[in-house]
PDB file of all heavy atoms in Angstrom:
ATOM      1  N   SER A  65     101.240 137.246  64.928  1.00  0.00           N
ATOM      2  CA  SER A  65     100.693 136.639  63.757  1.00  0.00           C
ATOM      3  C   SER A  65     101.026 135.161  63.590  1.00  0.00           C
ATOM      4  O   SER A  65     100.268 134.382  63.076  1.00  0.00           O
ATOM      5  CB  SER A  65     101.212 137.449  62.486  1.00  0.00           C
ATOM      6  OG  SER A  65     102.633 137.617  62.507  1.00  0.00           O
ATOM      7  N   TYR A  66     102.248 134.759  64.051  1.00  0.00           N
ATOM      8  CA  TYR A  66     102.611 133.371  63.939  1.00  0.00           C
ATOM      9  C   TYR A  66     101.803 132.511  64.892  1.00  0.00           C
ATOM     10  O   TYR A  66     101.208 131.471  64.532  1.00  0.00           O
ATOM     11  CB  TYR A  66     104.095 133.248  64.321  1.00  0.00           C
ATOM     12  CG  TYR A  66     104.619 131.757  64.401  1.00  0.00           C
ATOM     13  CD1 TYR A  66     104.999 131.126  63.242  1.00  0.00           C
ATOM     14  CD2 TYR A  66     104.551 131.037  65.519  1.00  0.00           C
ATOM     15  CE1 TYR A  66     105.444 129.798  63.217  1.00  0.00           C
ATOM     16  CE2 TYR A  66     104.966 129.707  65.604  1.00  0.00           C
ATOM     17  CZ  TYR A  66     105.392 129.131  64.455  1.00  0.00           C
ATOM     18  OH  TYR A  66     105.794 127.827  64.476  1.00  0.00           O
ATOM     19  N   LYS A  67     101.620 132.926  66.158  1.00  0.00           N
ATOM     20  CA  LYS A  67     100.902 132.178  67.179  1.00  0.00           C
ATOM     21  C   LYS A  67      99.405 132.101  66.832  1.00  0.00           C
ATOM     22  O   LYS A  67      98.792 131.071  66.932  1.00  0.00           O
ATOM     23  CB  LYS A  67     101.066 132.823  68.544  1.00  0.00           C
ATOM     24  CG  LYS A  67     102.454 132.578  69.158  1.00  0.00           C
ATOM     25  CD  LYS A  67     102.477 133.203  70.545  1.00  0.00           C
ATOM     26  CE  LYS A  67     103.876 133.044  71.155  1.00  0.00           C
ATOM     27  NZ  LYS A  67     103.971 133.595  72.501  1.00  0.00           N
ATOM     28  N   THR A  68      98.913 133.232  66.287  1.00  0.00           N
ATOM     29  CA  THR A  68      97.486 133.262  65.919  1.00  0.00           C
ATOM     30  C   THR A  68      97.258 132.292  64.779  1.00  0.00           C
ATOM     31  O   THR A  68      96.244 131.515  64.805  1.00  0.00           O
ATOM     32  CB  THR A  68      97.046 134.618  65.503  1.00  0.00           C
ATOM     33  OG1 THR A  68      97.287 135.601  66.581  1.00  0.00           O
ATOM     34  CG2 THR A  68      95.593 134.734  65.097  1.00  0.00           C
ATOM     35  N   ALA A  69      98.061 132.339  63.757  1.00  0.00           N
ATOM     36  CA  ALA A  69      97.939 131.380  62.620  1.00  0.00           C
ATOM     37  C   ALA A  69      97.998 129.957  63.133  1.00  0.00           C
ATOM     38  O   ALA A  69      97.242 129.059  62.620  1.00  0.00           O
ATOM     39  CB  ALA A  69      98.983 131.707  61.587  1.00  0.00           C
ATOM     40  N   LYS A  70      98.901 129.660  64.020  1.00  0.00           N
ATOM     41  CA  LYS A  70      99.057 128.351  64.526  1.00  0.00           C
ATOM     42  C   LYS A  70      97.708 127.843  65.269  1.00  0.00           C
ATOM     43  O   LYS A  70      97.276 126.710  65.070  1.00  0.00           O
ATOM     44  CB  LYS A  70     100.174 128.363  65.508  1.00  0.00           C
ATOM     45  CG  LYS A  70     101.150 127.173  65.689  1.00  0.00           C
ATOM     46  CD  LYS A  70     101.685 126.535  64.466  1.00  0.00           C
ATOM     47  CE  LYS A  70     102.667 125.383  64.661  1.00  0.00           C
ATOM     48  NZ  LYS A  70     103.603 125.522  65.765  1.00  0.00           N
ATOM     49  N   THR A  71      97.212 128.763  66.023  1.00  0.00           N
ATOM     50  CA  THR A  71      95.896 128.526  66.709  1.00  0.00           C
ATOM     51  C   THR A  71      94.829 128.190  65.705  1.00  0.00           C
ATOM     52  O   THR A  71      94.015 127.292  65.833  1.00  0.00           O
ATOM     53  CB  THR A  71      95.474 129.723  67.581  1.00  0.00           C
ATOM     54  OG1 THR A  71      96.431 129.929  68.554  1.00  0.00           O
ATOM     55  CG2 THR A  71      94.149 129.442  68.298  1.00  0.00           C
ATOM     56  N   TYR A  72      94.751 129.058  64.594  1.00  0.00           N
ATOM     57  CA  TYR A  72      93.748 128.843  63.601  1.00  0.00           C
ATOM     58  C   TYR A  72      93.879 127.485  62.938  1.00  0.00           C
ATOM     59  O   TYR A  72      92.931 126.800  62.643  1.00  0.00           O
ATOM     60  CB  TYR A  72      93.856 129.925  62.559  1.00  0.00           C
ATOM     61  CG  TYR A  72      93.388 131.356  62.997  1.00  0.00           C
ATOM     62  CD1 TYR A  72      93.633 132.443  62.182  1.00  0.00           C
ATOM     63  CD2 TYR A  72      92.716 131.514  64.166  1.00  0.00           C
ATOM     64  CE1 TYR A  72      93.236 133.696  62.582  1.00  0.00           C
ATOM     65  CE2 TYR A  72      92.297 132.786  64.561  1.00  0.00           C
ATOM     66  CZ  TYR A  72      92.580 133.929  63.756  1.00  0.00           C
ATOM     67  OH  TYR A  72      92.147 135.167  64.115  1.00  0.00           O
ATOM     68  N   ALA A  73      95.178 127.107  62.600  1.00  0.00           N
ATOM     69  CA  ALA A  73      95.418 125.871  61.959  1.00  0.00           C
ATOM     70  C   ALA A  73      94.949 124.669  62.758  1.00  0.00           C
ATOM     71  O   ALA A  73      94.305 123.751  62.359  1.00  0.00           O
ATOM     72  CB  ALA A  73      96.885 125.749  61.598  1.00  0.00           C
ATOM     73  N   LYS A  74      95.274 124.775  64.062  1.00  0.00           N
ATOM     74  CA  LYS A  74      94.893 123.673  65.014  1.00  0.00           C
ATOM     75  C   LYS A  74      93.348 123.604  65.151  1.00  0.00           C
ATOM     76  O   LYS A  74      92.773 122.573  65.409  1.00  0.00           O
ATOM     77  CB  LYS A  74      95.484 123.923  66.383  1.00  0.00           C
ATOM     78  CG  LYS A  74      96.989 123.773  66.428  1.00  0.00           C
ATOM     79  CD  LYS A  74      97.613 124.046  67.755  1.00  0.00           C
ATOM     80  CE  LYS A  74      99.092 123.866  67.746  1.00  0.00           C
ATOM     81  NZ  LYS A  74      99.762 124.291  69.042  1.00  0.00           N
ATOM     82  N   ALA A  75      92.665 124.799  65.070  1.00  0.00           N
ATOM     83  CA  ALA A  75      91.235 124.772  65.160  1.00  0.00           C
ATOM     84  C   ALA A  75      90.530 124.250  63.956  1.00  0.00           C
ATOM     85  O   ALA A  75      89.307 123.908  64.019  1.00  0.00           O
ATOM     86  CB  ALA A  75      90.779 126.198  65.323  1.00  0.00           C
ATOM     87  N   GLY A  76      91.315 124.023  62.827  1.00  0.00           N
ATOM     88  CA  GLY A  76      90.643 123.440  61.632  1.00  0.00           C
ATOM     89  C   GLY A  76      90.299 124.359  60.472  1.00  0.00           C
ATOM     90  O   GLY A  76      89.582 124.034  59.601  1.00  0.00           O
ATOM     91  N   ALA A  77      90.917 125.541  60.518  1.00  0.00           N
ATOM     92  CA  ALA A  77      90.681 126.508  59.469  1.00  0.00           C
ATOM     93  C   ALA A  77      91.161 125.914  58.187  1.00  0.00           C
ATOM     94  O   ALA A  77      92.245 125.435  58.051  1.00  0.00           O
ATOM     95  CB  ALA A  77      91.324 127.837  59.721  1.00  0.00           C
ATOM     96  N   LYS A  78      90.362 126.117  57.076  1.00  0.00           N
ATOM     97  CA  LYS A  78      90.813 125.628  55.725  1.00  0.00           C
ATOM     98  C   LYS A  78      91.742 126.609  55.124  1.00  0.00           C
ATOM     99  O   LYS A  78      92.501 126.226  54.237  1.00  0.00           O
ATOM    100  CB  LYS A  78      89.576 125.403  54.837  1.00  0.00           C
ATOM    101  CG  LYS A  78      88.649 124.218  55.252  1.00  0.00           C
ATOM    102  CD  LYS A  78      89.366 122.928  55.015  1.00  0.00           C
ATOM    103  CE  LYS A  78      88.368 121.736  55.066  1.00  0.00           C
ATOM    104  NZ  LYS A  78      87.738 121.626  56.374  1.00  0.00           N
ATOM    105  N   ALA A  79      91.654 127.836  55.543  1.00  0.00           N
ATOM    106  CA  ALA A  79      92.565 128.919  54.986  1.00  0.00           C
ATOM    107  C   ALA A  79      92.702 130.013  56.006  1.00  0.00           C
ATOM    108  O   ALA A  79      91.864 130.158  56.890  1.00  0.00           O
ATOM    109  CB  ALA A  79      91.959 129.482  53.718  1.00  0.00           C
TER     110      ALA A  79
END
Side-chain angles (χ1 to χ4, degrees):
S65 50
Y66 177 87
K67 288 181 179 179
T68 301
K70 217 47 179 319
T71 300
Y72 289 169
K74 290 176 181 176
K78 290 290 194 301

